[in-house]
Amino acid sequence: MAMGDHESGQGTVEKQRRPRRTPGAWRVKRRFRHAKRPKSRNWPDVFEDVAYLTRELGRWHPDTLAARSRVLVWLTGEDRQADVLRLSEAEVAERTAEFGADVPETLRMRRSLAWHRRRVGDLDGAVTEARAVLGNSERVLGSDHADTHKMKSLQEWRKRLVAKAAST
């Protein structure tokens, strides 16, 4: 079952209706259109805007997801890796609870979480997460899927890093 779908009482899968965008939600969504966080936007205001979109449109609405993704990009651009890691861990936990661990979007977020752990310096956590995601990707998506290949390249990076550390 894909995100945004639900099972009806008769066992069929139906698309959920998304809440309509209100003018307020549209204005708030536009605040996330910039590649870098505008200096006039304070972080408490940014997080309040994400909370507003979540309340108005729902946790899994595409506009809310896009805003949350943009916040991660802005935090990464400002080199606030600890905040990115904290938000990524929360996102993975919420997605896993809502949709399960084997949904492709959850696997992508877990791959992203491994990357963020690497950026923070938690190499053991990054490797452990990457191995788990690779195993799940191969099982769920197959060994020829693009996401599985990305995880394999992350594993190859780990092997080169370990070999380099051993040689010095």
Side-chain angles (χ1 to χ4, degrees):
M1 221 170 19
M3 258 181 24
D5 294 349
H6 73 282
E7 198 167 320
S8 70
Q10 290 114 8
T12 61
V13 176
E14 300 172 353
K15 285 278 188 198
Q16 285 183 334
R17 295 182 99 183
R18 292 186 191 142
R20 289 194 64 194
R21 290 184 188 113
T22 63
W26 181 82
R27 276 191 303 277
V28 169
K29 176 190 170 279
R30 284 189 42 84
R31 294 177 186 158
F32 293 95
R33 71 184 182 276
H34 306 285
K36 291 184 177 181
R37 180 180 60 90
K39 297 299 179 194
S40 61
R41 303 285 324 276
N42 298 335
W43 280 110
D45 295 339
V46 169
F47 291 122
E48 178 54 39
D49 287 345
V50 172
Y52 175 82
L53 289 173
T54 302
R55 280 190 314 272
E56 290 296 312
L57 300 176
R59 178 90 181 111
W60 306 110
H61 190 278
D63 292 346
T64 306
L65 293 171
R68 287 198 327 253
S69 176
R70 183 63 64 169
V71 167
L72 292 176
V73 169
W74 288 349
L75 287 167
T76 301
E78 293 182 12
D79 203 30
R80 295 178 55 176
Q81 300 304 327
D83 292 330
V84 173
L85 180 61
R86 180 180 48 80
L87 291 173
S88 295
E89 287 172 339
E91 180 81 14
V92 167
E94 290 171 9
R95 282 183 181 273
T96 302
E98 181 77 19
F99 303 111
D102 293 341
V103 175
E105 277 301 315
T106 303
L107 292 172
R108 283 187 201 104
M109 279 305 299
R110 289 178 58 205
R111 183 182 75 222
S112 179
L113 176 61
W115 177 255
H116 294 307
R117 284 190 171 144
R118 174 185 171 209
R119 300 237 1 206
V120 166
D122 179 14
L123 296 180
D124 293 335
V127 169
T128 302
E129 186 70 30
R131 282 183 180 157
V133 174
L134 177 59
N136 290 346
S137 289
E138 287 179 331
R139 181 176 48 78
V140 173
L141 303 173
S143 60
D144 284 342
H145 194 275
D147 288 347
T148 304
H149 286 293
K150 288 177 186 175
M151 287 310 303
K152 286 179 182 177
S153 68
L154 188 61
Q155 289 295 327
E156 290 169 11
W157 161 84
R158 183 196 63 81
K159 289 176 187 174
R160 285 193 307 271
L161 184 66
V162 168
K164 183 178 178 182
S167 67
T168 56

